[in-house]
Amino acid sequence: MNKASPAFTLAETLIVLACVCALGLLAVPHVQTLGRATATRAFLDRFKATYEKYENRARLTQKNYHIELGPTVQAARYIFVKQETEKPKPPRDEPTKAKDWIDIPATLTATVNRTNPKIGPHGVENCTWTFQEIATRTQYQITVQMKWGRLIETKT
């Protein structure tokens, strides 16, 4: 009696391998998009947390602060916070990695509708920060308005 071998044939193995490869090709773009979205979300959350931190600091110390959009540094920009009485620092090739610097990911562009919005002990200046993803052209707007704690985020 000849017993059949319980193994898969070469043809069956190649069909399964082709299906797995096809699923992998479909998943790769989704994983890349998910990674970009996660990096963007982390940046926006850090930006809002920094804004709120300096709102609280301005109230406690009774000092004014400016949030500024820094110059282009190796195709990426950064945002920094400085006290109003500080002298401007000369531009450098690399921003100082202090707590009050926020690097903008290279996948985003940033604009603000007001020059150097001020945060003071009596409130914040109304302004709108716009961040746009370069690849998908998705815009995120963070609007700062009406005294304290009013950071409104919209996605278009």
Side-chain angles (χ1 to χ4, degrees):
M1 265 198 310
N2 278 340
K3 290 188 177 180
S5 174
F8 292 110
T9 65
L10 179 61
E12 292 170 331
T13 306
L14 289 176
I15 290 171
V16 170
L17 185 62
C19 291
V20 169
C21 289
L23 287 175
L25 288 174
L26 293 174
V28 167
H30 178 67
V31 171
Q32 290 173 339
T33 303
L34 184 61
R36 271 195 308 269
T38 303
T40 300
R41 178 83 264 140
F43 166 75
L44 293 173
D45 290 344
R46 184 166 176 223
F47 174 79
K48 291 191 287 189
T50 300
Y51 221 102
E52 291 168 353
K53 173 178 116 178
Y54 279 93
E55 285 180 3
N56 292 331
R57 187 175 288 182
R59 273 189 268 174
L60 292 172
T61 62
Q62 296 294 308
K63 294 181 181 175
N64 292 319
Y65 294 91
H66 291 287
I67 296 191
E68 299 182 13
L69 194 57
T72 301
V73 177
Q74 294 179 354
R77 301 178 99 184
Y78 53 93
I79 296 170
F80 64 95
V81 181
K82 71 175 188 175
Q83 202 172 337
E84 192 172 64
T85 58
E86 292 178 3
K87 295 179 182 176
K89 297 175 184 171
R92 299 179 180 175
D93 291 338
E94 283 289 325
T96 307
K97 298 294 181 191
K99 290 181 182 176
D100 49 3
W101 291 89
I102 306 172
D103 289 325
I104 299 173
T107 58
L108 292 176
T109 60
T111 56
V112 63
N113 69 344
R114 179 184 294 265
T115 305
N116 304 337
K118 188 169 87 173
I119 299 174
H122 304 293
V124 296
E125 289 182 347
N126 296 347
C127 64
T128 300
W129 292 83
T130 303
F131 303 99
Q132 183 174 13
E133 285 186 344
I134 296 168
T136 62
R137 300 225 183 261
T138 304
Q139 276 194 348
Y140 300 89
Q141 289 187 334
I142 297 178
T143 304
V144 181
Q145 57 177 295
M146 296 176 56
K147 292 279 183 187
W148 302 109
R150 309 287 176 149
L151 295 174
I152 301 167
E153 181 182 332
T154 56
K155 177 182 174 180
T156 55

